[in-house]
Amino acid sequence: MTRLKAPIFLYTTRTKTGAFQELLGPWLQWVHIKVAPQFGEEESLGWNGYNQLFKSEFFWRGQDSNHIVIFQPDSLLIKPLELDNLAFGYAGAPWNKGRITSQEFPSYNQDGEWASNDWISQSLCQTVPNSTNGNGGLSIRNRALMQQICSDHASQSPPEEAEDIFFAKHIHTPHYKAKLPSQGELRQLFNETSFADTHGFHGSWFYLDASDQAKLYETHVKHVIGLLLALS
């Protein structure tokens, strides 16, 4: 979904590199597997390890590109990104702080007989800052901005603090002069907790109705077919 114009770097631990090389064999000319140095011998980064990696000035200093699209495994690029229009300091899938979702679940008694239907409600994004920009799972980052924020503030961030929440607390600080997307631009880029006709989503199946999620998959499949036909 970048029309083969952007290199892909996959970060993992040293113990997993062989498995990824086998999995991605036919595509290794486009995908570069890199070992996260401070976690090289561990089985996985884990929650704290992932967040510490992204809150590391060393990590951002080691990137070659000025702008980077972060893409977690539970993300999907639905249709091609226009790479020339991605020069933002930070742009992540919008948070919908305060949104409440409700789901109906059947309830059964100890004999396995249906008893009632119960409603479970969930209030979303309660721990995020007062900003809609945004979830880091599918996001655009300016390398120099991320590095500077890490240099200035990472030492005060608890290890368990999510890296996207960490950055969202600081990207609006005036002296960084970060170029941030408007709400309209952000809504066109990515989605997570609300449906929109975007270029990609992160974990949206946790929040969207099945019909809305199906529309995103349908759009993606159509774009994949069109791109494959163009390459054939």
Side-chain angles (χ1 to χ4, degrees):
M1 289 299 160
T2 59
R3 302 184 181 91
L4 304 181
K5 295 180 180 180
I8 299 172
F9 294 91
L10 188 154
Y11 279 84
T12 186
T13 60
R14 186 172 290 108
T15 57
K16 299 297 184 182
T17 54
F20 276 115
Q21 287 172 347
E22 182 176 357
L23 176 67
L24 300 170
W27 299 283
L28 287 178
Q29 59 179 311
W30 297 294
V31 181
H32 309 275
I33 300 173
K34 302 187 75 171
V35 174
Q38 56 269 64
F39 306 99
E41 301 303 329
E42 298 182 21
E43 283 297 307
S44 67
L45 300 182
W47 171 262
N48 286 357
Y50 176 86
N51 289 308
Q52 290 178 51
L53 177 67
F54 272 64
K55 292 186 287 185
S56 163
E57 180 185 359
F58 174 81
F59 171 77
W60 295 105
R61 190 188 306 126
Q63 305 306 312
D64 296 327
S65 301
N66 292 326
H67 288 88
I68 301 165
V69 177
I70 302 299
F71 188 95
Q72 290 180 356
D74 55 348
S75 300
L76 180 71
L77 287 179
I78 301 168
K79 52 189 175 182
L81 285 169
E82 301 299 333
L83 298 181
D84 293 339
N85 298 329
L86 302 184
F88 297 115
Y90 187 102
W95 284 315
N96 285 335
K97 188 172 184 177
R99 179 186 173 189
I100 297 176
T101 62
S102 296
Q103 296 286 335
E104 187 179 18
F105 290 88
S107 178
Y108 293 85
N109 61 27
Q110 292 182 343
D111 295 325
E113 298 172 337
W114 175 84
S116 65
N117 282 349
D118 298 329
W119 284 88
I120 305 297
S121 296
Q122 180 185 18
S123 185
L124 306 181
C125 306
Q126 291 304 292
T127 61
V128 304
N130 291 321
S131 169
T132 57
N133 181 17
N135 189 281
L138 179 58
S139 56
I140 299 164
R141 318 284 186 103
N142 176 276
R143 176 194 56 78
L145 175 63
M146 299 295 100
Q147 181 181 336
Q148 188 60 56
I149 291 176
C150 288
S151 176
D152 294 343
H153 302 287
S155 61
Q156 290 84 45
S157 175
E160 66 276 7
E161 181 178 41
E163 59 88 17
D164 49 5
I165 291 179
F166 164 73
F167 286 115
K169 289 179 178 178
H170 302 291
I171 55 175
H172 295 280
T173 304
H175 75 262
Y176 288 129
K177 298 180 181 179
K179 180 184 177 183
L180 302 175
S182 67
Q183 289 305 301
E185 290 171 323
L186 195 60
R187 187 172 175 80
Q188 291 176 357
L189 283 170
F190 310 129
N191 75 72
E192 181 180 50
T193 56
S194 62
F195 176 78
D197 181 19
T198 59
H199 282 80
F201 67 70
H202 171 251
S204 56
W205 56 84
F206 287 115
Y207 311 101
L208 302 186
D209 291 336
S211 59
D212 286 338
Q213 188 65 31
K215 292 176 185 177
L216 299 179
Y217 287 132
E218 180 183 13
T219 300
H220 171 69
V221 170
K222 289 178 177 178
H223 279 279
V224 169
I225 292 172
L227 288 169
L228 291 176
L229 290 174
L231 293 172
S232 62

